[in-house]
Each structure stands twice: as structure tokens, then as C-alpha cells.
Amino acid sequence: MKTWQSKAPLPTGFPPFKEILTESALFLDIETTGLSPAHSQIYLIGCACQKEGSLWVTQFFSECPQEEPDILSAFLGYLLPFDTVITYNGQSFDLPFLAARCACHCIPEPFQTLRHIDLFRQLSRYRHILKLPDMKQKTLEHFLGICREDTYTGKELIQLYNAYAASAAQTGAEPPTEKASLLKLHNYEDILGMANLLPALAYGRLFEGDFHATPPSQNIYADYNGSQAMEWILPLRLDSPLPMRFSFGKPPVYLTGFGSNAKLAVKAFQGELKYFYPNPKEYYYLPAEDTAIHKSVGSYVDKNYRIQATAATCYTRKAGCFLPQYRQLFRPCFQTGFRSKATYFELAAPFAGSPESWEAYARHLLQWLLE
């Protein structure tokens, strides 16, 4: 068994990361000879913690399959002072695999008692927002501009380890140091990569509402048909800076962001919409005027010009400038038709001058973009 230790700089560009990477938190990544703990083994356990302003990396390496219990015991002893582990997809792979291999060797393990932060779980819901092809750790690192020396795939690493173990078992053979260095490097960069992914959590902070809305503006432009259109633009000041520029939209909402600033642009509806009254039985519909009126007033209208209102005809019309909403956040709610899913609210006072309303609307749109 070998133990390697080294020191690296802490990640930068994400001030709140200290809430996550405390001195009682430990990054964790394992390398295995396969995907099934019933038929495979762990040959390398890498971990890292924050200490004295740096990231201290420790790796436990099994030079042969028989040393797996040794690296498990060494790692569990190292784990004792920590109450939190940070992984990338560790909830599905690393921790269950470790627990299974400990059980195989009758070694008690504390994983159920530890707090677990899985960066994969926290970041994967933003895959389509960031326009990533997949959620592999290397893909996210590439998006953030993180470069690696390691070029090996997991399958190639298994072959490399098997070759190392076979060479190490030969009596009188020189230690296969080059293979060991390549195995070490891959795991080491997995650990450093996780630390450097922390700034990406800022995208989640944005969608969780970690921002302050600033005064909005309006932009008049010509749409694709040459007609005049208006978009309502809401700037957001972010508490957690975004490490890379991104843009994402679902008509009629478009979101962009970078650094400490993001912006929501919402195409406004300009024209006439309908407000549907509740309780249609209490209303008459006037076909000639295309509107509904309450029976207390409609009873004075000639019977030839009124009919009983239905849910689809129990409305009044209003012209103006409106913004879309995808649940009834602001009232009154207007619709293009009775069965239309989206509703609208009027871009007018008190909404137009209320920072609290801007922030509530921004959170509403961000949640809709995630759906």
C-alpha cells in the first residue's frame, strides 16, 4: 500500500464556497476495477480537505488487490475528524461502493452518519440551462475552462491498474512507477476538479433566488414580422458571481448572465386580452358587445341581446401592455382565451414600481425556465 500527500491552492471566484468547504468537510473520489462492488475492488481512494489556506490531498493506493482492506482501513482512520463528504455522483456510486467493500471485509463504516454534498446532484438540474451535452465531471470542467493533464478513460485506467498489479507481483521486477503516476494523476485531478467545480454552484444560487432586482427598463424593437414589439428587461445583481457567461431562453423569456450580473428579458404582450369572471351562472353574455355583465345589471338589457354566460364567454376585454406568468402570481389575471395555459398581468402600478414584485416575478420566471 502507498500513501501520497500533496498540497494545492484553494478554488477562487466563489466567495460562499467556505460555507461548503469547511475544515470538517472532505472531498472524496474512488477508483475501482469495475462498476459492481460485488465483482470489483477499490484500488485508489483520494480525498482532500481545507487546511491552513490550502487544499491538502491524500491518496491511498492499493498496489495489489490483497491490499484493499488496508486502504479502506487507512481511509476510514483519516475520515474520523470529518463530518461532511463532498463527491461528484458519490450518492449513486462512491459511497455505496465503499460501504459494500467495507461489508465484504467486515470493516465498520460511518457513511450513513455523515453529511453528504453531491455536486452532481446539485448541478445536474442545470444541464439544459448551461447547454451541456452530458453531466460528466470532465464535461463540466471543460465548460468552466478547467484543463487536465490526464487523458485516460475509466476503462483504460482499469487496464492500466491490472498491468501495474501484475508487474508489482513479479519478484525482482522494478516498480512500475510510470503506471502508478498515471493512476495517481487521474484521481488527483478528479479531486482538484471537484474543488474547482464549486464556483459552478453559483448557477444554482441564482435559480434559488440569491439576487437583488434592480430597476427594470423597456426596449422597443421590430420583431421578425417587422411589427413593433416591446421587451421588459429586469437586471439582477448576484451575490454569487457566475464563473462563465451563459444564455438560455424559452419564448417569451430570455436569461443571460456572467459575473455578478444577470438579466431577464421578457417579451410583453401588447393588445387586447380577456379577464374571465368566476361564477358564470351569475352573468349574461352580450354577443353584440362581446362581453359579459353581471345579472344585476344585465337584467335591464333586452332579452334579445343577452344570453346566459358560460365559462368560455364569461369575460370582459381589456387593451394594454401585459407580462406573462405561469401561475397566478399577480392579479387580475388575463388570458388570450378560455383554455390558454399562460396568463398575463398588466404592466402597470403597483407592479411597475415595486422592487419586491420584481424579485418575486424574477423567481417565478427562473423556476419556469427550469421546468
Side-chain angles (χ1 to χ4, degrees):
M1 170 185 145
K2 289 182 181 292
T3 301
W4 298 307
Q5 291 186 311
S6 55
K7 185 169 70 171
L10 287 169
T12 58
F14 183 48
F17 85 88
K18 292 182 180 178
E19 302 169 6
I20 299 170
L21 187 52
T22 65
E23 291 192 353
S24 62
L26 189 71
F27 285 106
L28 170 64
D29 183 67
I30 65 173
E31 309 299 337
T32 69
T33 59
L35 298 178
S36 169
H39 307 288
S40 309
Q41 293 180 305
I42 300 170
Y43 66 84
L44 182 55
I45 304 173
C47 50
C49 63
Q50 182 210 157
K51 185 169 63 175
E52 299 172 354
S54 296
L55 196 65
W56 292 76
V57 181
T58 303
Q59 296 169 281
F60 304 97
F61 179 60
S62 170
E63 295 192 88
C64 62
Q66 291 75 21
E67 290 183 348
E68 184 187 43
D70 298 328
I71 65 168
L72 289 170
S73 296
F75 165 68
L76 291 172
Y78 187 85
L79 181 63
L80 285 174
F82 301 95
D83 60 22
T84 301
V85 291
I86 305 171
T87 69
Y88 195 85
N89 201 31
Q91 185 172 334
S92 296
F93 184 72
D94 298 71
L95 294 187
F97 205 110
L98 278 163
R101 295 311 298 167
C102 285
C104 179
H105 297 293
C106 300
I107 300 174
E109 47 82 7
F111 301 122
Q112 293 295 327
T113 66
L114 296 173
R115 176 185 177 222
H116 182 207
I117 299 173
D118 190 330
L119 299 179
F120 171 81
R121 295 292 178 106
Q122 292 201 15
L123 293 169
S124 58
R125 67 181 308 206
Y126 307 111
R127 172 185 168 181
H128 70 291
I129 298 288
L130 301 178
K131 301 175 183 176
L132 300 176
D134 55 58
M135 283 304 296
K136 296 176 183 176
Q137 182 174 331
K138 286 185 178 180
T139 301
L140 197 51
E141 290 175 9
H142 179 73
F143 169 74
L144 295 176
I146 300 169
C147 298
R148 284 189 176 221
E149 293 181 45
D150 165 63
T151 59
Y152 280 83
T153 66
K155 185 176 182 180
E156 290 168 338
L157 285 173
I158 294 172
Q159 296 171 346
L160 192 66
Y161 174 71
N162 289 335
Y164 175 93
S167 298
Q170 295 177 10
T171 304
E174 291 188 14
T177 54
E178 182 180 353
K179 292 183 177 66
S181 296
L182 293 171
L183 294 165
K184 174 186 175 183
L185 177 64
H186 178 88
N187 180 258
Y188 178 80
E189 291 192 331
D190 274 350
I191 294 290
L192 291 192
M194 274 192 283
N196 288 314
L197 289 184
L198 290 180
L201 294 175
Y203 297 101
R205 297 287 179 93
L206 165 61
F207 283 90
E208 289 164 6
D210 192 16
F211 59 78
H212 300 281
T214 59
S217 61
Q218 298 179 8
N219 177 42
I220 307 298
Y221 65 99
D223 63 18
Y224 290 114
N225 299 318
S227 302
Q228 180 177 288
M230 189 272 278
E231 60 181 0
W232 186 77
I233 299 172
L234 179 61
L236 306 175
R237 188 176 68 253
L238 311 182
D239 295 330
S240 302
L242 304 173
M244 299 298 289
R245 190 179 306 277
F246 85 105
S247 61
F248 179 77
K250 293 195 299 186
V253 181
Y254 195 70
L255 171 67
T256 57
F258 178 59
S260 297
N261 298 289
K263 181 176 68 176
L264 281 162
V266 187
K267 185 177 180 181
F269 181 94
Q270 298 181 92
E272 189 176 82
L273 291 175
K274 298 173 180 178
Y275 171 75
F276 287 84
Y277 296 113
N279 303 319
K281 292 181 180 180
E282 298 178 6
Y283 288 81
Y284 288 123
Y285 175 63
L286 310 183
E289 299 181 33
D290 189 23
T291 191
I293 59 173
H294 196 270
K295 287 184 175 180
S296 62
V297 178
S299 59
Y300 297 101
V301 177
D302 190 307
K303 293 182 179 179
N304 295 320
Y305 296 96
R306 74 186 192 203
I307 58 175
Q308 173 62 49
T310 65
T313 61
C314 191
Y315 58 78
T316 186
R317 295 173 291 117
K318 184 168 186 178
C321 185
F322 305 87
L323 293 178
Q325 59 183 0
Y326 301 95
R327 60 180 174 84
Q328 294 187 358
L329 186 66
F330 300 108
R331 296 175 182 271
C333 298
F334 298 89
Q335 297 170 256
T336 55
F338 176 62
R339 298 193 180 278
S340 59
K341 292 183 179 180
T343 65
Y344 297 82
F345 63 94
E346 191 170 12
L347 181 51
F351 171 84
S354 169
E356 294 80 8
S357 296
W358 304 338
E359 293 193 5
Y361 187 49
R363 292 187 182 94
H364 169 72
L365 292 179
L366 289 170
Q367 291 306 304
W368 177 73
L369 287 173
L370 274 180
E371 293 175 359

